[in-house]
Amino acid sequence: MVITAVPPHSLETFLEIPETKPASEFINGQVTQKVVPQGEHSRLQVKLCTNINQVVETPKIAYAFSELRCTFGGASIVPDISVFRWERIPRKSSGRVSNRFEIYPDWAIAILSPDQRQNKVIANLLHCVDHGTELGWLLDPEDENILLVLPEHRIQILEGSQTVPVLSGIDLSLTVSQIFEWLSF
């Protein structure tokens, strides 16, 4: 994670700066750059998006976006996966999906990478639930557990055969073990 030497003074100024790779985020007046995803992170991100979208896209319940910038509540963050209920997906007047998402995700998923600061990721998830996100997940591949961030700053850690909650209305049942088994081919 990199903190810029001269951070922008406002969210508006930050949003005028060209995008970086990996993405930079603006929260609590500070700009930080996300870490480059590695193998485990990438595998979990793709498998989760695929599994969620297989269940929710055709019936138009929701959609899971990967690395989508979400700007809301005075911050601009890029969760690893942002799930939006179908009716909340921002659209252009043509009906096509918008490029800018200036709303919170309904479900925010972060995957901890090596050398990433866990507290910074938790702070992003707490920001999400403070502004309307119903559910936050933080996957820790090293410890093979999932930290849930729920409204009112409730936090819970799940592991092993525990079933991980998903958004209401989504017919998807996954255990922590099933998710981390995706790391083995």
Side-chain angles (χ1 to χ4, degrees):
M1 174 181 61
V2 176
I3 298 178
T4 60
V6 183
H9 297 296
S10 69
L11 175 60
E12 293 75 24
T13 304
F14 169 77
L15 293 172
E16 292 173 5
I17 297 171
E19 282 290 344
T20 60
K21 288 190 179 185
S24 292
E25 299 177 307
F26 182 89
I27 189 166
N28 297 325
Q30 288 197 332
V31 177
T32 56
Q33 189 171 13
K34 292 182 70 167
V35 298
V36 175
Q38 295 181 19
E40 290 181 338
H41 181 285
S42 181
R43 173 78 174 160
L44 290 170
Q45 188 170 7
V46 168
K47 290 293 286 185
L48 276 169
C49 276
T50 300
N51 277 269
I52 293 167
N53 285 334
Q54 283 177 342
V55 172
V56 299
E57 185 175 13
T58 299
K60 298 182 178 181
I61 296 168
Y63 192 81
F65 293 87
S66 176
E67 299 292 330
L68 176 70
R69 177 167 303 286
C70 299
T71 302
F72 60 94
S76 187
I77 62 173
V78 183
D80 295 319
I81 300 170
S82 300
V83 181
F84 287 84
R85 292 189 186 280
W86 197 261
E87 65 276 3
R88 290 192 64 246
I89 297 172
R91 292 177 174 80
K92 298 177 183 178
S93 59
S94 66
R96 291 176 62 163
V97 66
S98 292
N99 283 321
R100 297 184 73 139
F101 278 58
E102 296 179 341
I103 60 172
Y104 60 86
D106 294 298
W107 177 10
I109 301 173
I111 303 162
L112 202 59
S113 294
D115 301 322
Q116 191 172 26
R117 291 178 43 210
Q118 186 176 27
N119 285 352
K120 192 259 185 222
V121 180
I122 293 170
N124 281 4
L125 291 171
L126 288 169
H127 177 81
C128 288
V129 299
D130 282 346
H131 290 88
T133 297
E134 297 172 44
L135 177 63
W137 283 10
L138 173 55
L139 283 74
D140 185 339
E142 187 173 325
D143 290 341
E144 293 192 9
N145 63 35
I146 298 176
L147 183 137
L148 301 179
V149 178
L150 305 161
E152 300 170 7
H153 291 197
R154 294 181 330 171
I155 294 178
Q156 182 179 354
I157 296 178
L158 302 178
E159 47 195 7
S161 63
Q162 290 181 292
T163 300
V164 189
V166 298
L167 285 180
S168 63
I170 296 178
D171 187 20
L172 179 65
S173 181
L174 293 169
T175 66
V176 175
S177 295
Q178 287 173 314
I179 291 170
F180 289 110
E181 284 171 7
W182 291 335
L183 297 176
S184 300
F185 285 88

